[in-house]
Amino acid sequence: MPELPEVETVLSSLLPKIKGKKIKTVRVRHKDVVGWPETAIKFSQGLCGKKISGGFRRGKLLLFTLDEEGKLIFHLRMTGRLYYSDKIYQPRKHAHLVLDFSGGGTLIFEDTRRFGRVYLVKTGEEKYAGNLEKLGPEPLDPEFDLKAFSQALKQKKGRIKGLLLNQSFIAGLGNIYVDEILFRSQIHPETSAQNLEDRAICRIYTSMKEILNEAIAGRGTTFRDYRDGEGRAGDFQDLLKVYGREGEKCPYCSDYIERKKVAGRSSFFCPCCQKDDVNDSGSVRKR
Ligand SMILES: [Zn+2]
């Protein structure tokens, strides 16, 4: 569930607390969460004594750089939570990885459904870190301009919703933000990417940057599980226009939000504002 804005929020709330800290003990409480190296023992041995020198986000992955060499990479997936505690920590049931720092403080990785993974990779081992090397461009990267987005879209077949969810096409988007982006762009989620006119592509591109930035400013969306690095819920759920709002009135017209399965995911949209042929009709309202 955590998408780009949530992962960005976890990172920005955690980094000031753990940057420069040395890992004193590594407690792997469920070995399945270790995606790399091959064993939890190798993971613990490799990480013990290392200092966190910095961190960044790529797609939905959190990457912490280590002082000597290598990276500690978290993929939160569905229900993963990563947070810091400066109290003496008694591991809870779903705390699968616990890192204690020299001089106090603990980093905890919890995951009720246990789809989340953690990777410890040296330089050259990045291919073992989940989908890291297969990720497409970052939507907020200034170099990812409209021209690059448009060219990439025009080479693709398939429906726009599925494409935007595809992490190798563009990194970091998930079901919530794709629905919000398509609503603001007035594009039906089932629209074929090849049928999109230039101005429709421009609306998607602009809405994508706007919504992601707004959601980061709102510290992400919390429905159930998501919390930031200090255990706080996000605020952006109140600002969602269509996601999770089936049967509610569209904020821009009198119609009701519908839900339909598109690209295997529940998709929320306004049948009036997001007509399937909206690109061809040319009737675009400014919002
Ligand atoms: Zn509407």
Side-chain angles (χ1 to χ4, degrees):
M1 224 271 298
E3 304 181 26
L4 186 157
E6 289 76 35
V7 176
E8 190 74 37
T9 306
V10 172
L11 179 73
S12 63
S13 56
L14 272 182
L15 208 50
K17 301 198 178 289
I18 65 171
K19 191 176 171 182
K21 290 209 170 193
K22 191 174 165 182
I23 298 163
K24 188 174 71 177
T25 53
V26 177
R27 288 183 266 171
V28 179
R29 304 181 71 246
H30 206 296
K31 60 180 172 47
D32 286 2
V33 300
V34 176
W36 188 260
E38 303 94 328
T39 65
I41 293 172
K42 272 194 185 177
F43 175 87
S44 302
Q45 286 173 342
L47 192 56
C48 211
K50 296 282 188 334
K51 198 188 274 180
I52 309 264
S53 57
F56 60 100
R57 181 196 55 74
R58 178 80 175 95
K60 302 179 194 174
L61 299 173
L62 283 135
L63 300 93
F64 295 106
T65 51
L66 303 171
D67 57 345
E68 289 166 37
E69 196 211 350
K71 294 182 190 76
L72 177 65
I73 303 173
F74 289 90
H75 192 183
L76 304 177
R77 303 287 288 275
M78 292 285 285
T79 53
R81 274 188 199 172
L82 188 65
Y83 63 95
Y84 178 84
S85 170
D86 54 10
K87 301 184 179 69
I88 294 183
Y89 178 73
Q90 292 298 334
R92 299 200 293 197
K93 186 182 173 197
H94 297 292
H96 303 313
L97 174 67
V98 179
L99 305 180
D100 300 299
F101 296 106
S102 299
T106 307
L107 183 68
I108 302 122
F109 179 53
E110 275 180 14
D111 192 352
T112 51
R113 295 185 64 181
R114 232 191 297 139
F115 290 126
R117 288 291 177 271
V118 58
Y119 307 91
L120 176 66
V121 296
K122 294 178 192 156
T123 308
E125 290 183 341
E126 287 81 0
K127 59 179 175 289
Y128 300 116
N131 64 352
L132 177 63
E133 290 205 323
K134 297 190 188 91
L135 291 172
E138 284 291 327
L140 295 178
D141 181 349
E143 287 185 13
F144 181 63
D145 58 12
L146 175 60
K147 198 175 158 199
F149 180 58
S150 179
Q151 280 173 349
L153 257 188
K154 285 176 176 173
Q155 288 167 10
K156 292 284 180 184
K157 288 184 178 141
R159 303 189 193 286
I160 186 65
K161 167 113 192 198
L163 261 184
L164 295 177
L165 286 173
N166 180 345
Q167 299 300 297
S168 59
F169 178 71
I170 190 161
L173 301 179
N175 209 26
I176 296 176
Y177 295 108
V178 169
D179 280 4
E180 293 295 312
I181 290 163
L182 292 176
F183 175 69
R184 193 176 293 187
S185 320
Q186 295 184 279
I187 306 288
H188 191 282
E190 290 181 302
T191 307
S192 162
Q194 284 182 321
N195 291 343
L196 290 166
E197 284 185 345
D198 285 343
R199 55 186 167 173
I201 294 173
C202 182
R203 292 204 303 278
I204 297 172
Y205 176 82
T206 308
S207 304
M208 180 165 66
K209 297 223 176 208
E210 285 173 359
I211 286 172
L212 292 173
N213 280 318
E214 289 164 18
I216 291 169
R219 299 175 41 263
T221 297
T222 296
F223 278 111
R224 280 186 298 270
D225 300 290
Y226 163 71
R227 298 288 184 277
D228 74 4
E230 296 171 284
R232 293 180 301 171
D235 294 325
F236 198 69
Q237 57 279 3
D238 301 334
L239 300 172
L240 298 174
K241 300 282 193 287
V242 286
Y243 185 85
R245 299 198 184 279
E246 182 188 15
E248 292 181 31
K249 271 196 175 167
C250 167
Y252 298 116
C253 72
S254 56
D255 224 326
Y256 292 92
I257 307 297
E258 288 183 8
R259 174 160 75 162
K260 184 177 186 181
K261 211 153 221 182
V262 182
R265 307 292 300 275
S266 269
S267 300
F268 298 87
F269 63 98
C270 170
C272 176
C273 293
Q274 293 167 267
K275 288 206 194 322
D276 215 350
D277 58 355
V278 70
N279 333 295
D280 307 319
S281 75
S283 60
V284 174
R285 221 179 15 246
K286 176 96 181 109
R287 61 176 56 139

